Amino acid sequence: MSYLYLLASLMFIIGLKELGAAPTARRGNTISAVAMGIAILGTVIEHHLLNSVQILSALLLGSVIGIVWANRVKMTGMPQLVAILNGFGGLASMIVGWAEMEEVAHYNWLGYITLNNLPCSHLFNYFLLSVTTATVFIGAITFSGSLIAFGKLAGWLPTRGLQVPCKFLTLLASFGFALIFIKCSPAMVYLPALYGLIVFSLIVGALYILPIGGGDMPVVISLLNSLSGLAAACAGFVIGNVLLIVAGSLVGASGLILTLVMCKSMNRSLLKVLFHQFGEKKDVSNRQEREPRAISLDDAYYLLEAGQKIFVVPGYGMAVAQAQHAIKALSDLLEENGADVHYVVHPVAGRMPGHMNVLLAEANVSYDKVVDMESANREMDQIDVAIIIGANDIVNPAARENPGSPIYGMPVIEVSRARTVLALKRGSGRGFSGLENALFSQENTVMLYGDAKETLTQLVGAFRNASN
Ligand code: NAP
């Protein structure tokens, strides 16, 4: 059995490494999924659960739900799915910690609960109570926080930061219950304190995620992912499962790295994200000075036909329209026409980390055609046309020019410095952060209104007709 755990741990590490680069990510995903299968098998064998109807039914039910859900979810629903899966990870860890305490505790005649069947070492018992507290606290805040993140991403809750009262008081209350639970006595567990900890931690998770909104959401999603791993690692200590400690630590550490990368991309510190409400500053001086200028499909064709250096900037609207194949077809035609075309991907474009990279890979866009924001910004003055496909916040010049804007200081793709900006969107809809975007009414910006996939397909048709 320990060989199975060792094999699974190695495969998790290799899988994670492969997930780090777009060309090998699919393989990394498969390796990690197989490793999880081996881990479950190892646990089933270790605990002699092979004949248990319960474990087999749970496995079957979980697999069926997972397969049906993953197959039915639309690409635009992926971020919500990722958010809720983080939450389930936290919930599972919380239940493991709680169940373990119910298992080892038994009521004595004083109405207290003593620890059963455990070594009498007080040090050990303090350790067990502390890791259980950590498991329950982190697991619960991950679960309720992920539910709120799910609601925001699905559009069920407002995406802006909401003002909520008593955040700090509930945090203090959960710390209070945690202290009572740990300190009660090394040979006792006081289960009512654990119940209090669970309830208040669930409230803390919701209250601390509600005020986070707009541009800070990517940071929160990666942080919740990291916390789900940390909760699993703590649960591993509670039940003495080495593999859970390894897998949880891998998720926790990689999630934390991603969180820091996201913070850097947004030019925000983690403390600011967690303790300042997004949009505390009012969007005062970012008013549009002129009406956006719409152009016809023919005009857009001539503009692109003349362009030599072209940047394509995909955003969430590309995911909504599923326009990745259409833009790839158009880019191929532009290159046949002699243009040099590159895709510029902002780290927080779309609704989940790597969202645009996944879509572009699906459309077989070559990786060497994708450039990062910093390199693109260095070249921006030489760009003839920057095509914006359903992007908004990630190209908002207010981030550089408007100190009154809530996103002031966030690095953006500086398309407004290109000679011409061709923006594809359906109308005057705002981005996730709900801010106005003066880019669309600038002198050098022209708008091609409509669903991005339909518009791009018509442009592809125009180029094909011209070459026949
Ligand atoms: P965005 O700011 O949300 O803007 C998307 C734009 O796409 C909208 O203005 C919309 O305008 C347009 N659009 C929607 N459907 C379209 C369609 N079918 N065809 C053409 N256009 C369409 O997107 P973004 O620029 O990619 O910025 C991402 C935002 O999401 C950032 O604020 C980021 O902080 C946040 N976020 C990111 C993550 C992450 O991990 N990446 C997670 C959570 C939140 P119309 O309605 O006028 O068409």
Side-chain angles (χ1 to χ4, degrees), residues 316 348-353 390 392-394 425-427 429 431-432 451-452:
Y316 179 62
V348 305
R351 292 291 183 272
M352 62 178 182
N392 195 332
D393 293 342
I394 59 163
K425 68 202 291 282
R426 297 165 306 181
F432 186 81
D451 174 79

Side-chain angles (χ1 to χ4, degrees), residues 76-325:
T76 44
M78 237 2 151
Q80 293 94 288
L81 180 66
V82 172
I84 200 80
L85 289 179
N86 284 340
F88 286 153
L91 179 67
S93 302
M94 185 196 90
I95 292 174
V96 167
W98 176 7
E100 189 65 10
M101 283 300 107
E102 297 276 354
E103 177 100 336
V104 299
H106 91 134
Y107 287 83
N108 71 10
W109 57 273
L110 273 175
Y112 280 106
I113 301 127
T114 51
L115 288 175
N116 260 344
N117 308 324
L118 285 173
C120 282
S121 149
H122 285 184
L123 212 59
F124 175 82
N125 288 355
Y126 270 133
F127 174 74
L128 182 71
L129 294 179
S130 305
V131 283
T132 305
T133 304
T135 308
V136 167
F137 177 68
I138 302 171
I141 57 173
T142 307
F143 175 58
S144 57
S146 299
L147 285 184
I148 300 293
F150 173 87
K152 284 181 182 251
L153 290 173
W156 296 353
L157 290 171
T159 53
R160 65 178 196 283
L162 297 176
Q163 188 72 319
V164 288
C166 306
K167 273 191 329 181
F168 192 62
L169 280 182
T170 48
L171 185 63
L172 275 185
S174 58
F175 283 167
F177 280 114
L179 272 182
I180 297 171
F181 181 66
I182 298 171
K183 287 285 286 176
C184 208
S185 156
M188 279 180 184
V189 281
Y190 186 48
L191 283 184
L194 185 69
Y195 304 147
L197 175 65
I198 291 174
V199 171
F200 276 91
S201 306
L202 287 170
I203 301 174
V204 166
L207 293 191
Y208 271 81
I209 302 300
L210 271 171
I212 301 174
D216 287 339
M217 279 310 283
V219 178
V220 167
I221 289 164
S222 34
L223 183 67
L224 288 169
N225 175 252
S226 172
L227 289 181
S228 72
L230 201 60
C234 292
F237 280 107
V238 174
I239 57 171
N241 186 311
V242 179
L243 185 62
L244 200 50
I245 299 173
V246 172
S249 306
L250 286 174
V251 175
S254 54
L256 191 63
I257 293 171
L258 186 61
T259 307
L260 297 177
V261 169
M262 286 292 169
C263 278
K264 193 165 168 252
S265 314
M266 307 302 288
N267 199 16
R268 302 268 285 162
S269 76
L270 190 53
L271 287 180
K272 264 197 176 159
V273 171
L274 289 178
F275 298 107
H276 290 255
Q277 183 196 342
F278 182 85
E280 273 173 339
K281 286 185 191 177
K282 291 282 165 280
D283 185 23
V284 280
S285 48
N286 190 29
R287 300 279 170 262
Q288 299 192 356
E289 272 146 27
R290 58 190 277 277
E291 279 300 305
R293 184 158 52 103
I295 58 166
S296 67
L297 195 86
D298 284 345
D299 289 341
Y301 165 77
Y302 290 122
L303 178 68
L304 291 174
E305 207 260 343
Q308 286 302 299
K309 283 184 126 274
I310 296 179
F311 272 169
V312 174
V313 182
Y316 179 62
M318 183 178 89
V320 176
Q322 286 294 289
Q324 60 274 23
H325 296 283

Side-chain angles (χ1 to χ4, degrees), residues 392-452:
N392 195 332
D393 293 342
I394 59 163
V395 290
N396 193 336
R400 290 185 300 128
E401 297 163 2
N402 179 359
S405 168
I407 56 165
Y408 185 66
M410 163 183 156
V412 287
I413 304 173
E414 298 168 15
V415 286
S416 51
R417 285 173 28 227
R419 287 185 190 116
T420 308
V421 178
L422 174 63
L424 273 59
K425 68 202 291 282
R426 297 165 306 181
S428 55
R430 296 185 181 190
F432 186 81
S433 60
L435 303 174
E436 277 201 51
N437 190 340
L439 172 78
F440 302 126
S441 52
Q442 277 184 2
E443 204 58 58
N444 60 338
T445 302
V446 286
M447 309 293 297
L448 191 52
Y449 288 118
D451 174 79

